[in-house]
Amino acid sequence: MGVSEQLRFLWQFVRHPKEVGSVVPSSRYLACAVVEHVSPRARCVAEFGPGTGPITRVLLERLGPAATVLALEIDPAFCAVLRRELADHRLRVVEAPAQELPARARDLGCAVEAVVSGLPFANFPPALRREIVTAAHDALAPGGVFAGYGYAPFALPPVLRAVFGNCATSFEWRNMPPAFVFVARKLSSEFRVPGS
Ligand SMILES: C[S@@+](CC[C@H](N)C(=O)[O-])C[C@H]1O[C@@H](n2cnc3c(N)ncnc32)[C@H](O)[C@@H]1O
């Protein structure tokens, strides 16, 4: 990660502290700890809050040539950075909130197999946390995975347990600050044939 990326990130944090939620982008260690939960064979992966793209880069390295990464980011400055610096035919950067994932995935005709999140859930009110996690759950195919990170275990895990019914936690020391990684899976038994 270059100095210019760090400065850009810091500047956006100064302008929108609650939404950006951190003064530095995620380290490669943290990005790898999140992305390792995504199957390298996945064809459609959504990313919430890519920022300057540290997780996006690792995701694109992991996925095959036919994959699509649908990145939902609300900050137009970060969207511009991603479009300019991560020119990859597999990446769709959409300037929209994470809550719109089900509609945006439908527009693309994409069955979402994994959602990775860089969102600062601890800064969000409980209703918004629930709305975003529910949108991820609704968009995911049965068996799909949600992986996100946070600096404290109080914000995201209870919502993942409430919506997905499960949440596994690990810890990545090699990040500034060290972070928890939270993973939930959409259980296949929740799959319902429409009309049944
Ligand atoms: C902590 S930064 C993470 C950036 C990057 N993923 C990383 O790990 O360094 C959070 C990002 O989420 C974006 N964001 C905040 N609320 C959002 C929402 N509701 N939908 C999509 N993006 C959002 C912010 O603009 C910011 O880019």
Side-chain angles (χ1 to χ4, degrees):
M1 182 203 333
V3 174
S4 66
E5 181 182 337
Q6 292 198 27
L7 289 177
R8 213 153 31 210
F9 197 89
L10 180 61
W11 175 238
Q12 291 307 110
F13 172 76
V14 171
R15 296 180 66 209
H16 308 289
K18 276 201 161 169
E19 289 76 12
V20 175
S22 166
V23 292
V24 284
S26 297
S27 66
R28 192 173 170 84
Y29 294 114
L30 181 56
C32 289
V34 171
V35 168
E36 72 177 11
H37 299 283
V38 177
S39 164
R41 289 182 302 281
R43 297 292 291 260
C44 178
V45 179
E47 181 178 3
F48 290 167
T52 52
I55 295 177
T56 326
R57 285 186 182 85
V58 174
L59 199 49
L60 289 167
E61 286 165 18
R62 184 168 178 81
L63 297 173
T68 297
V69 174
L70 172 57
L72 299 183
E73 169 59 61
I74 54 170
D75 188 321
F78 284 146
C79 289
V81 169
L82 291 165
R83 290 188 185 116
R84 194 174 58 242
E85 292 180 14
L86 280 178
D88 186 307
H89 70 277
R90 299 170 296 167
L91 178 62
R92 308 286 181 102
V93 178
V94 178
E95 188 185 323
Q99 304 86 296
E100 291 186 11
L101 176 61
R104 301 294 179 154
R106 239 185 341 263
D107 290 349
L108 276 182
C110 201
V112 182
E113 291 157 79
V115 176
V116 296
S117 167
L119 295 179
F121 277 93
N123 293 354
F124 297 162
L128 180 57
R129 293 176 194 163
R130 178 93 186 201
E131 188 186 354
I132 293 172
V133 171
T134 301
H137 186 266
D138 288 351
L140 277 168
V145 72
F146 175 102
Y149 69 85
Y151 305 114
F154 65 83
L156 190 48
V159 191
L160 289 175
R161 277 187 216 103
V163 174
F164 282 79
N166 62 89
C167 171
T169 302
S170 60
F171 196 65
E172 179 52 68
W173 290 99
R174 295 165 297 175
N175 190 66
M176 195 59 214
F180 294 91
V181 175
F182 308 113
V183 180
R185 197 166 282 281
K186 180 165 176 173
L187 304 173
S188 304
S189 59
E190 290 172 30
F191 181 65
R192 302 267 183 281
V193 176
S196 71

